[in-house]
């Protein structure tokens, strides 16, 4: 060990310029994360600002500073990578969402959640695809094929309801929170599965056989991913219960839970399934079985560890999105036609507003009809408005899918692709900041405090965390 450290010291003392630059960038980014946490805490009681918007605004401000210091060459410290997002940042966010979910409310409303998250996402994707196909042609955008339009539909069908979830409370509005939360997770999974299915199919000539094959592939990915997540969660519970790691070390219990959770996600990626669905249901199963087979100290540790990792990943993403919004490389390509970029962004934003309304209202009505003879609470019109509003914001999933489709390693040298990237950035910024700022006042208006009382008790066996899960 001493020899290894001694041999490492000369290397650390002779870091190259590029290595030193990376160290400086990482230090600055960590410092910015600390600033986001501190400022977010100070603004905790603010009526308008939440932690997501705080991180986004800090990212924008820092992006401006870096842009000025670098002489207009760059606006961010790190280069965006969809691999970084999908492999390292997304798993803890989605796993914690499943681990902290109130299972009773989630499964009581499971059919409604699946209607909103799966059917609603497909409807939204179809509307955005058709709307973009007909309007972009009139704008003279002819570089997109049918696969590109379908990919655009999947990209902008991916919602980000974190701003709304930071305002709602599980105990005060259990039905509403469950629907917004559940739709957000299932929506992300559906969007990614749909996007990957589109990428894997030759859509140059669409016919009934291809459509059936596409639907079959989609359902297979959905069901297989869910099964893999549940199986991995049950396996972790069985191993921990039989071997009883806690008699020697709680660290081993916690480490095994973390590794099994991450393994479920990576296994899904290995077998070309949906890692989001897999790790989400792994989290649900672990919170119901594995969590109760570990020692009390391990329960407390895992509860806070998973929530902390999720919180840091969320903050990192919003901070980076804010910085990347000013990436001068992409904006240079659209400087010759700013009107076209604005038109594309406006059309897509309008389609997002329309597509949400066209499936939230009918599906809510259908859900209420299905509950007519049961004791379950109906979704009121005010709650439907909040659910519609919660899904208007776009975030990191849309950014990652857009980068995957229209860039290579975060860079693009084509004007047409740059238009789609800058439009995505514009929509993410506008929807998160504008709609996010109005979320607290809107919910206070539609659901005054006396209306937010609930007779539904919380799950006694659900791990409770002081930090909020992503979705």
């Amino acid at each position: 060990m001493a020899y290894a450290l001694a041999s490492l010291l000369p290397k650390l003392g002779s870091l190259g310029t590029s290595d030193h630059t990376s160290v400086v960038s990482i230090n600055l980014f960590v410092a910015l994360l600390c600033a986001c946490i501190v400022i977010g805490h100070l603004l905790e009681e603010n009526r308008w600002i939440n932690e997501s918007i705080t991180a986004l605004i800090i990212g924008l401000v820092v992006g401006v500073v870096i842009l000025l210091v670098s002489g207009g060459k760059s606006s961010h410290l790190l280069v965006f990578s969809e691999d970084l997002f999908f492999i390292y940042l997304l798993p803890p966010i989605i796993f914690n969402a499943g681990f902290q979910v109130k299972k009773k409310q989630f499964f009581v409303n499971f059919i409604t959640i699946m209607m909103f998250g799966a059917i609603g996402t497909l409807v939204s994707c179809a509307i955005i695809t058709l709307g973009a196909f007909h309007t972009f042609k009139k704008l003279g955008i002819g570089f997109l094929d049918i696969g590109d339009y379908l990919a655009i539909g999947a990209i902008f069908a991916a919602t980000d309801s974190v701003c709304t979830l930071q305002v709602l409370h599980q105990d005060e509005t259990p039905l509403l929170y469950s629907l917004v939360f559940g739709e957000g997770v299932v929506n992300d999974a559906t969007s990614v599965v749909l996007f990957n299915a589109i990428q894997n199919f030759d859509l140059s000539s669409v016919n009934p056989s291809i459509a059936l094959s596409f639907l079959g592939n989609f359902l297979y990915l959905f069901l297989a991913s869910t099964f893999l997540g549940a199986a991995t969660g049950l396996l972790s519970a069985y191993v921990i219960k039989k071997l009883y790691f806690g008699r020697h070390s709680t660290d081993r219990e916690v480490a095994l839970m973390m590794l099994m959770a991450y393994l479920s996600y990576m296994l899904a990626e290995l077998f070309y399934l949906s890692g989001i669905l897999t790790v989400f249901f792994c989290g649900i199963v672990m919170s119901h079985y594995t969590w109760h087979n570990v020692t009390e100290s391990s329960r407390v540790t895992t509860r806070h560890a998973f929530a902390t990792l999720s919180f840091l990943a969320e903050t990192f993403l919003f901070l980076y999105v804010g910085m990347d919004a000013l990436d001068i490389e992409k904006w240079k390509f659209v400087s010759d036609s700013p009107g076209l970029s604005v038109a594309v962004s406006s059309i897509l934003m309008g389609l997002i507003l329309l597509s949400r309304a066209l499936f939230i209202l009918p599906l809510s009505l259908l859900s209420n009809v299905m509950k007519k003879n049961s004791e379950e609470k109906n979704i009121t019109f005010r709650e439907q408005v909040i659910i519609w509003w919660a899904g208007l914001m776009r975030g990191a999933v849309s950014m990652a899918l857009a980068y995957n489709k229209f860039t290579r390693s975060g860079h693009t040298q084509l004007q047409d692709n740059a238009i789609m990237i800058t439009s995505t950035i514009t929509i993410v910024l506008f929807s998160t900041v504008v709609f996010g700022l109005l979320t607290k006042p809107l919910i206070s208006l539609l659901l005054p405090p006396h209306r937010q009382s609930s007779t539904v008790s919380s799950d006694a066996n659900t791990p409770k965390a002081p930090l909020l899960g992503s979705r």
Side-chain angles (χ1 to χ4, degrees), residues 205-223:
S205 58
V206 180
N207 55 59
S209 63
I210 290 180
L212 287 174
S213 179
F214 179 84
L215 180 61
N217 185 57
F218 177 82
L219 292 175
Y220 162 75
L221 289 174
F222 217 92
L223 296 175

Side-chain angles (χ1 to χ4, degrees), residues 105-417:
Q105 278 296 310
F106 181 82
F107 286 107
V108 163
N109 300 297
F110 185 74
I111 295 177
T112 305
I113 288 171
M114 291 304 294
M115 285 196 304
F116 286 159
I119 299 175
T121 302
L122 293 175
V123 172
S124 182
C125 176
I127 293 173
I128 293 173
T129 298
L130 291 173
F133 179 79
H134 289 292
T135 54
F136 285 8
K137 293 289 186 182
K138 296 179 180 179
L139 293 175
I141 300 177
F143 60 89
L144 300 174
D145 56 28
I146 185 63
D148 293 327
Y149 282 112
L150 286 170
I152 289 171
I155 289 168
F156 292 103
T159 66
D160 193 329
S161 54
V162 64
C163 290
T164 306
L165 291 175
Q166 288 177 342
V167 179
L168 295 174
H169 300 282
Q170 295 192 63
D171 295 324
E172 295 175 354
T173 54
L175 172 64
L176 186 58
Y177 186 96
S178 175
L179 293 178
V180 173
F181 168 87
E183 186 208 347
V185 176
V186 178
N187 166 274
D188 282 351
T190 305
S191 299
V192 174
V193 170
L194 188 60
F195 180 86
N196 290 335
I198 291 168
Q199 298 292 88
N200 295 331
F201 269 82
D202 181 12
L203 299 170
S204 56
S205 58
V206 180
N207 55 59
S209 63
I210 290 180
L212 287 174
S213 179
F214 179 84
L215 180 61
N217 185 57
F218 177 82
L219 292 175
Y220 162 75
L221 289 174
F222 217 92
L223 296 175
S225 301
T226 302
F227 175 80
L228 178 60
T232 308
L234 289 173
L235 178 62
S236 69
Y238 178 80
V239 170
I240 287 178
K241 181 178 181 179
K242 288 297 181 182
L243 299 182
Y244 189 37
F245 287 87
R247 66 187 172 189
H248 296 303
S249 170
T250 58
D251 296 339
R252 292 174 184 173
E253 286 184 320
V254 176
L256 187 62
M257 286 184 68
M258 287 185 170
L259 291 173
M260 288 292 285
Y262 191 66
L263 179 63
S264 71
Y265 185 89
M266 295 311 297
L267 282 174
E269 295 299 314
L270 178 66
F271 295 115
Y272 301 101
L273 302 175
S274 170
I276 294 179
L277 266 182
T278 298
V279 78
F280 175 68
F281 279 98
C282 180
I284 291 179
V285 172
M286 274 194 174
S287 71
H288 192 68
Y289 294 102
T290 312
W291 194 73
H292 295 284
N293 289 322
V294 299
T295 59
E296 183 61 32
S297 58
S298 294
R299 294 179 189 179
V300 175
T301 303
T302 53
R303 180 197 314 161
H304 292 286
F306 291 138
T308 302
L309 289 173
S310 172
F311 172 76
L312 286 174
E314 281 181 20
T315 307
F316 181 97
L317 287 172
F318 279 102
L319 180 62
Y320 186 86
V321 167
M323 296 173 66
D324 195 64
L326 299 174
D327 186 2
I328 197 68
E329 177 192 64
K330 301 175 184 67
W331 291 103
K332 279 181 178 178
F333 285 105
V334 300
S335 59
D336 294 337
S337 54
L340 180 61
S341 181
V342 171
V344 170
S345 301
S346 302
I347 290 170
L348 289 171
M349 194 70 247
L351 291 171
I352 289 171
L353 291 164
L354 178 63
S355 63
R356 287 288 299 174
L358 289 181
F359 80 80
I360 288 294
L361 297 178
L363 291 181
S364 297
L365 178 62
L366 178 61
S367 175
N368 290 340
V369 170
M370 293 168 62
K371 295 177 181 178
K372 198 168 185 180
N373 297 324
S374 68
E375 297 180 357
E376 298 175 40
K377 182 184 174 185
N378 285 339
I379 307 171
T380 67
F381 179 74
R382 293 182 178 221
E383 290 172 334
Q384 293 175 34
V385 173
I386 293 175
I387 295 170
W388 169 75
W389 183 270
L392 294 179
M393 283 152 275
R394 297 297 178 266
V397 174
S398 293
M399 287 281 291
L401 294 180
Y403 271 76
N404 182 281
K405 179 66 180 177
F406 297 108
T407 71
R408 289 186 178 181
S409 302
H411 300 281
T412 179
Q413 300 296 325
L414 300 175
Q415 182 183 23
D416 298 337
N417 289 348

